[in-house]
Amino acid sequence: MKSITKMLPALGLVFGATLAMAMNFANNPTERYAEDPAPGTEVWYDLTDITPGPSTYQCDEEVDETCSHMDSNFLSNEVEEGEFIKNGSLPLATP
């Protein structure tokens, strides 16, 4: 019985480390946003967890622009290059 009680702090440490690693690998999606390219509009779309495609959006890589941005201020950390082309219905971003 003494050997088990002596091992409890070590077992607690191993359990804590395992739990910390599991929390570190949790799905943490990158927030991505894109501005509607229509002239005169200032509408932003939330592209988080949305896959580019023919029914969502595309980034025309031939155009030297920023297609999507990361961060809640919509201005920093470029994610994808190209011209944003909306192909379907996308959720609006809430600043």
Side-chain angles (χ1 to χ4, degrees):
M1 188 70 169
K2 282 186 177 182
S3 63
I4 292 176
T5 9
K6 288 182 180 181
M7 291 179 57
L8 282 178
L11 289 173
L13 183 62
V14 169
F15 177 73
T18 305
L19 185 61
M21 287 179 58
M23 298 297 274
N24 192 28
F25 293 120
N27 185 12
N28 192 5
T30 300
E31 292 181 357
R32 293 183 304 140
Y33 303 94
E35 186 176 13
D36 194 321
T41 62
E42 290 190 26
V43 176
W44 286 84
Y45 297 104
D46 186 357
L47 304 179
T48 306
D49 291 331
I50 295 182
T51 306
S55 62
T56 55
Y57 77 96
Q58 293 174 315
C59 291
D60 182 2
E61 295 176 4
E62 294 179 7
V63 178
D64 189 25
E65 293 180 13
T66 301
C67 180
S68 65
H69 301 267
M70 185 175 90
D71 206 0
S72 59
N73 64 9
F74 307 133
L75 300 174
S76 63
N77 299 326
E78 179 180 312
V79 177
E80 296 171 293
E81 293 182 4
E83 180 184 12
F84 175 75
I85 302 168
K86 182 178 178 254
N87 294 329
S89 118
L90 296 171
L92 295 177
T94 53

